[in-house]
Amino acid sequence: MTVWEKYVRKVTPYVPGEQPDNKNIVKLNTNENPYPPSPFVKKAMEGINDEQLRLYPDPKASLLVKAIAKHYGLKEEQIFPGVGSDDVLAMCFLTFFQSEKPIFFPDITYSFYEVWANLYRIPYEKKPLGENFQICPKDYLGENGGIIFPNPNAPTGLFLPLKEVEEIVEKNRDVIVIVDEAYIDFGSQTALPLLERYDNLLVVHTFSKSRAMAGARIGFAMGDTKLIQYLNDVKFSFNSYTLGLPSLIAGARAIEDNGYFLEITEKIKNTREWTKRELRKLGFSFPDSMGNFVFASHEKYRAEDIFVYLKEKNIYVRHFQQPRVDNYLRMTIGTKEQMERFLDCLAQFIR
Ligand SMILES: *Cc1c(COP(=O)(O)O)cnc(C)c1O
């Protein structure tokens, strides 16, 4: 090793799902929305002029923050936007998880949490999910430096009822509790009403899944004004101009089109429930996902073999080489037509 290499920050990076060039595939591997964004978005994009691109964007992202605040009935000072929720969550780790005590998150969860903890050298403890993959609130009551979990959890899709979320927030008033609600819009109850009572709670949302805008990279945290102020202080010490102007405009227009949003999330929920019934008929079992994906395993066939077979047929799903879940596949809910092609293919393999 050269001398300088001793002083390099060495990290094991997060591995995102594949984004293949091939347009012919059925892409069910990264939980993208199969529908286009609101038509308001494209129209607004066409109106962007040179002057808007020549200048730096508004560092406070006011256009987007105002639209989000209005939509959720919150104050602008309660919204912290970023380049996808990944950026927002990374800022949250850097800002709030500075204690010597370990932060807690589930053992099977969004794998980026562990990556950020390692990157920022934050001590952590992973809390094993229960037998049926459920998060057990009592595991989150010990002394800790902060808590984060997705609700619904990823990649299981299981939703933790609001009462239990509240129990975790309420019994941890001395630390910040982050609820990552990337999949909340597909039919479960948000923790937002708890914000009135708890100033140690942050709720994080994204435009990537339910608003069909993974390409625009927009996420945001909602919480007490004091927490948002601390996040802004760190952000302005890191990169003032996170969101570009096209994303600010796209995000604001998208959130104003609530009718379209409800329409596409409803379609995905219906396709998800239909897909569950079909998967059951084929011998799959799975936790009752409330996300835009199903995390399933087959009684007779190995997940890895199914994964390879599907890929040969140009159908991409996600497989995690990780203890306890390596016999599961995470399948994003696409359009009904995509799911039909996917299920036909599965049926051929399983027959
Ligand atoms: C997809 C996802 C994110 C990241 O979403 P972006 O907003 O696209 O960065 C965060 N948390 C969970 C649990 C996710 O599944």
Side-chain angles (χ1 to χ4, degrees):
M1 211 194 274
T2 53
V3 175
W4 62 264
E5 269 185 296
K6 262 196 345 213
Y7 305 107
V8 168
R9 185 178 291 259
K10 293 174 200 75
V11 286
T12 310
Y14 173 76
V15 184
E18 260 182 280
Q19 296 291 115
D21 277 337
N22 186 348
K23 295 279 176 289
N24 248 330
I25 66 164
V26 176
K27 192 170 180 303
L28 309 176
N29 67 335
T30 53
N31 294 347
E32 287 140 333
N33 197 307
Y35 300 107
S38 154
F40 288 15
V41 173
K42 192 157 181 204
K43 211 146 162 238
M45 290 297 95
E46 284 162 5
I48 291 175
N49 60 43
D50 287 350
E51 196 60 4
Q52 286 174 305
L53 291 174
R54 190 179 66 79
L55 300 172
Y56 278 110
D58 167 19
K60 289 202 202 130
S62 296
L63 181 70
L64 177 65
V65 165
K66 277 194 172 72
I68 295 171
K70 183 163 174 230
H71 180 76
Y72 289 99
L74 296 168
K75 291 187 272 190
E76 286 169 43
E77 298 76 29
Q78 290 184 277
I79 313 293
F80 176 80
V83 186
S85 50
D86 286 342
D87 175 47
V88 172
L89 291 166
M91 285 292 127
C92 290
F93 271 61
L94 187 56
T95 308
F96 300 115
F97 295 161
Q98 292 296 311
S99 135
E100 316 268 87
K101 294 172 194 161
I103 61 166
F104 293 167
F105 50 83
D107 63 337
I108 296 161
T109 195
Y110 189 39
S111 53
F112 227 139
Y113 301 157
E114 189 167 7
V115 174
W116 288 315
N118 287 325
L119 172 66
Y120 294 131
R121 296 168 186 162
I122 299 163
Y124 60 93
E125 252 176 66
K126 297 196 267 188
K127 300 292 181 182
L129 295 181
E131 205 182 332
N132 301 312
F133 286 156
Q134 73 280 19
I135 289 177
C136 307
K138 63 168 174 32
D139 293 344
Y140 297 82
L141 306 184
E143 255 196 86
N144 65 74
I147 291 170
I148 180 163
F149 58 92
N151 200 30
N153 195 11
T156 64
L158 278 184
F159 174 67
L160 184 70
L162 201 52
K163 268 253 115 342
E164 297 177 43
V165 174
E166 179 163 9
E167 187 187 340
I168 295 175
V169 179
E170 200 234 310
K171 301 230 163 101
N172 285 286
R173 296 304 296 259
D174 293 341
V175 297
I176 303 303
V177 178
I178 303 172
V179 184
D180 177 356
E181 294 190 338
Y183 302 105
I184 203 72
D185 298 325
F186 300 104
S188 35
Q189 235 182 331
T190 174
L192 284 175
L194 302 180
L195 287 183
E196 271 182 28
R197 271 172 286 154
Y198 301 98
D199 57 8
N200 61 320
L201 170 66
L202 270 177
V203 178
V204 177
H205 283 199
T206 175
F207 279 60
S208 299
K209 279 79 183 227
S210 56
R211 295 185 193 275
M213 290 169 68
R217 307 303 298 127
I218 307 169
F220 54 100
M222 294 171 278
D224 187 79
T225 54
K226 198 166 175 183
L227 301 190
I228 300 304
Q229 185 54 53
Y230 277 123
L231 275 169
N232 272 313
D233 289 346
V234 170
K235 177 205 128 159
F236 280 93
S237 313
F238 196 90
N239 175 6
S240 319
Y241 305 107
T242 48
L243 282 155
L245 178 100
S247 291
L248 295 181
I249 295 177
R253 293 293 93 85
I255 210 152
E256 283 158 10
D257 194 354
N258 202 46
Y260 180 82
F261 164 74
L262 294 174
E263 185 189 317
I264 61 172
T265 45
E266 198 56 36
K267 275 203 268 194
I268 291 169
K269 283 190 273 177
N270 289 334
T271 310
R272 177 187 67 207
E273 295 311 310
W274 174 79
T275 303
K276 285 178 186 171
R277 290 193 292 276
E278 296 299 314
L279 283 171
R280 228 172 259 127
K281 287 186 209 160
L282 292 174
F284 283 93
S285 53
F286 40 84
D288 193 22
S289 172
M290 295 301 277
N292 64 339
F293 56 88
V294 179
F295 193 55
S297 118
H298 197 275
E299 56 200 5
K300 293 207 198 81
Y301 297 92
R302 288 177 59 226
E304 198 168 351
D305 297 340
I306 304 174
F307 175 83
V308 169
Y309 177 82
L310 288 172
K311 198 162 174 180
E312 276 167 13
K313 303 280 172 191
N314 274 336
I315 297 173
Y316 284 53
V317 296
R318 192 89 195 259
H319 177 242
F320 300 95
Q321 302 277 10
Q322 202 196 110
R324 254 187 113 181
V325 296
D326 55 0
N327 205 30
Y328 282 77
L329 294 175
R330 191 194 67 190
M331 311 135 179
T332 304
I333 302 300
T335 61
K336 184 85 184 278
E337 294 69 34
Q338 287 179 316
M339 299 322 277
E340 277 166 355
R341 190 169 142 195
F342 160 71
L343 287 158
D344 282 349
C345 231
L346 269 183
Q348 282 166 24
F349 181 77
I350 275 158
R351 191 167 43 148

